Amino acid sequence: MRPYTILPLAFLLPGCVASVVGDVVTAPIKVVSKTADVMTTSQSEADEKRGRDMRKREERLGKLARKRDEAREDCADGDREACIQYEALEAEIAAEKDRDI
């Protein structure tokens, strides 16, 4: 009865060995390609990042502009602190516009 159980195992063993050998041989190639993919940025990824940065910048400029407009109205009503805040916000907006994306 023993030869009947060993015989099927003899047919399965070469397939397992071939699979393991194939994995071992291709592993370094997979690691190198994954590393190269992680280390480089595709053009579409760069475009997406630039678009996100531009949207964030526009959002920030919008918030600053709204604050500046409120400060300008308060300044026109005679609030001296609002005038100082208005000038500071104007400078901050100008600096944000000059900043590279």
Side-chain angles (χ1 to χ4, degrees), residues 22-98:
D23 289 344
V24 169
V25 170
T26 60
I29 296 167
K30 290 178 183 177
V31 168
V32 169
S33 69
K34 182 68 175 175
T35 302
D37 186 42
V38 169
M39 297 299 287
T40 59
T41 304
S42 70
Q43 185 62 43
S44 65
E45 290 171 335
D47 292 344
E48 290 172 6
K49 182 180 184 302
R50 182 167 166 76
R52 278 192 303 271
D53 291 344
M54 288 176 66
R55 284 190 297 278
K56 285 180 183 178
R57 179 182 184 194
E58 289 172 2
E59 182 179 326
R60 178 161 166 66
L61 283 171
K63 286 180 182 179
L64 289 172
R66 287 189 293 277
K67 284 183 179 181
R68 179 200 58 201
D69 293 344
E70 289 175 13
R72 182 178 23 197
E73 289 175 12
D74 292 343
C75 180
D77 291 339
D79 185 356
R80 187 73 188 135
E81 293 246 347
C83 295
I84 294 169
Q85 184 180 14
Y86 168 76
E87 291 173 6
L89 288 167
E90 272 294 319
E92 192 172 350
I93 289 171
E96 183 69 24
K97 285 182 179 179
D98 289 340

